[in-house]
Amino acid sequence: MKNIQLLSGIALVALSFTSCKDEKQEKAQKTIDSYVAYVDSVKNVKADDLKADWKDVEAEYDRRAAEAQTALADIKDNSAATEKINASKVKYEEFKNEMTTVFAPPAPSPQQQLRNSLFGEGKIGEDMNFDWVNAKNIHSVYQQFVHTVENNKDKYSREDWDKIKIMYEALDSRKNTVEKEGLTSEDNRKIAGLKVKFAPMYTLNRMGAKSEENKAAKK
């Protein structure tokens, strides 16, 4: 009788252990299925709706991916589950790359690219607002402008030179205001030197660009 009770006890413990093990595997499988379903659901959301919440989407993906990877350890034969996870990883990375392209801001226009090169990224827009130029930074602004023109003078078209002249005159106009706001005599002297360098460079190279355009037109 005692032996029967002992065997029954062992059987109950084994059954309980098996049951716990099965529950653990079942929970792990559900975690992996949830991860796979999340990737599929994200792919079905419109790009415009995703854009505003993309950081949250990525954070949730990272959380679910980590949980799915951990869950693999609780599945005895996890080759099929591993394959499912890897397939969803590839699917998500492809989708992420696609969305990165979709969410990327449009390339700036040629005119904006010219402004960016002369003044710095996004410093000057179509409104030609120079309020950010002050007594402390105006010398460096002139410096970047003139040195950029000097380095690229052989690449500019006549139209580029005309745009450069307009921006140069707008900067000069800002200088008239800045002079009353504490521009040092030292910076004023350095700016004068840059202006002396720019004037003949503009005249000669614009004439050269126009001449080249005329030759090309005749051909």
Side-chain angles (χ1 to χ4, degrees):
M1 185 70 178
K2 286 183 178 180
N3 288 338
I4 292 172
Q5 289 177 340
L6 180 62
L7 289 171
S8 297
I10 293 171
L12 284 171
V13 169
L15 184 62
S16 175
F17 179 76
T18 302
S19 178
C20 289
K21 193 174 180 181
D22 288 344
E23 285 180 11
K24 205 171 184 181
Q25 285 202 72
E26 187 178 340
K27 184 179 179 182
Q29 190 60 58
K30 284 181 178 179
T31 298
I32 292 168
D33 290 342
S34 176
Y35 162 71
V36 171
Y38 180 76
V39 172
D40 290 337
S41 67
V42 166
K43 283 173 61 64
N44 292 326
V45 179
K46 291 180 180 179
D48 288 344
D49 295 332
L50 279 176
K51 187 174 182 179
D53 300 316
W54 185 246
K55 286 185 179 180
D56 293 335
V57 170
E58 287 195 293
E60 181 66 12
Y61 170 82
D62 290 340
R63 184 184 70 79
R64 288 174 181 261
E67 288 179 351
Q69 199 65 42
T70 302
L72 282 175
D74 294 330
I75 300 177
K76 186 175 180 181
D77 182 7
N78 62 20
S79 56
T82 300
E83 193 173 322
K84 285 177 72 173
I85 289 175
N86 290 340
S88 286
K89 278 182 181 178
V90 171
K91 193 183 292 186
Y92 178 79
E93 286 303 318
E94 289 176 349
F95 180 69
K96 181 180 177 180
N97 291 337
E98 182 185 335
M99 288 301 99
T100 299
T101 302
V102 172
F103 297 158
S109 65
Q111 188 162 340
Q112 186 59 49
Q113 290 179 37
L114 181 61
R115 295 189 200 108
N116 290 345
S117 69
L118 295 170
F119 296 105
E121 194 75 23
K123 292 285 188 179
I124 293 292
E126 289 183 12
D127 58 359
M128 296 287 284
N129 188 324
F130 281 85
D131 288 350
W132 57 278
V133 178
N134 54 49
K136 291 183 178 180
N137 67 16
I138 192 166
H139 170 239
S140 63
V141 174
Y142 267 99
Q143 206 168 30
Q144 177 173 338
F145 184 97
V146 174
H147 289 170
T148 300
V149 171
E150 186 176 28
N151 292 337
N152 296 279
K153 61 182 185 293
D154 296 328
K155 302 175 186 176
Y156 295 138
S157 66
R158 180 181 56 80
E159 186 179 355
D160 288 335
W161 282 110
D162 289 343
K163 291 172 182 174
I164 288 169
K165 182 66 181 302
I166 291 171
M167 286 184 271
Y168 178 77
E169 289 173 346
L171 179 58
D172 267 354
S173 178
R174 178 61 181 169
K175 178 179 175 291
N176 294 334
T177 301
V178 168
E179 281 182 318
K180 302 168 188 175
E181 298 175 349
L183 179 63
T184 66
S185 56
E186 177 65 13
D187 279 347
N188 209 348
R189 183 185 62 77
K190 291 177 181 177
I191 290 170
L194 291 167
K195 289 167 67 69
V196 167
K197 178 184 284 189
F198 175 80
M201 181 167 57
Y202 163 78
T203 303
L204 291 172
N205 285 280
R206 186 187 180 284
M207 287 174 60
K210 184 175 181 180
S211 176
E212 289 298 319
E213 288 180 8
N214 289 338
K215 286 179 183 178
K218 287 179 181 178
K219 289 180 181 180

